[in-house]
Amino acid sequence: GQRFSRLEVITKSKKFRVAGGKGAKWKQSLWECKCACGKIILRSTSQLRGCKKKPGIRSCGCLQREIVGLIGKRATAHAVRT
């Protein structure tokens, strides 16, 4: 399947997501994706591709947890102890 950073599209889901604002509603197709960590998630096409102002989703959330963990380790390693 197609890859979006850590996510690999497995198949198109039979589920839909209702999107839209005031009165204008439409259905968005959802895609079943497998993350590099092994977790299976559902995401819409717009969430995967992103747009000019907001990049697409890159993982199931594991990437964010890894980044936060690295920042935390670096911060504690450089902390001044009194």
Side-chain angles (χ1 to χ4, degrees), residues 3-62:
R3 276 203 163 274
F4 295 88
S5 191
R6 290 186 174 197
L7 297 175
E8 180 180 4
V9 175
I10 300 169
T11 186
K12 189 173 183 178
S13 174
K14 293 180 181 177
K15 296 181 181 180
F16 288 91
R17 177 181 142 197
V18 177
K22 301 175 182 176
K25 303 263 186 228
W26 63 89
K27 289 182 179 179
Q28 287 186 334
S29 297
L30 293 176
W31 299 91
E32 197 171 295
C33 303
K34 184 174 183 178
C35 187
C37 70
K39 187 173 180 179
I40 304 290
I41 60 171
L42 291 175
R43 293 294 178 252
S44 68
T45 304
S46 59
Q47 287 175 316
L48 292 171
R49 288 190 179 160
C51 63
K52 290 180 184 177
K53 293 182 180 181
K54 188 173 181 182
I57 292 175
R58 300 187 296 169
S59 74
C60 67
C62 64

Side-chain angles (χ1 to χ4, degrees), residues 54-72:
K54 188 173 181 182
I57 292 175
R58 300 187 296 169
S59 74
C60 67
C62 64
L63 179 61
Q64 180 67 24
R65 288 187 293 275
E66 285 179 25
I67 291 169
V68 169
L70 289 173
I71 291 171

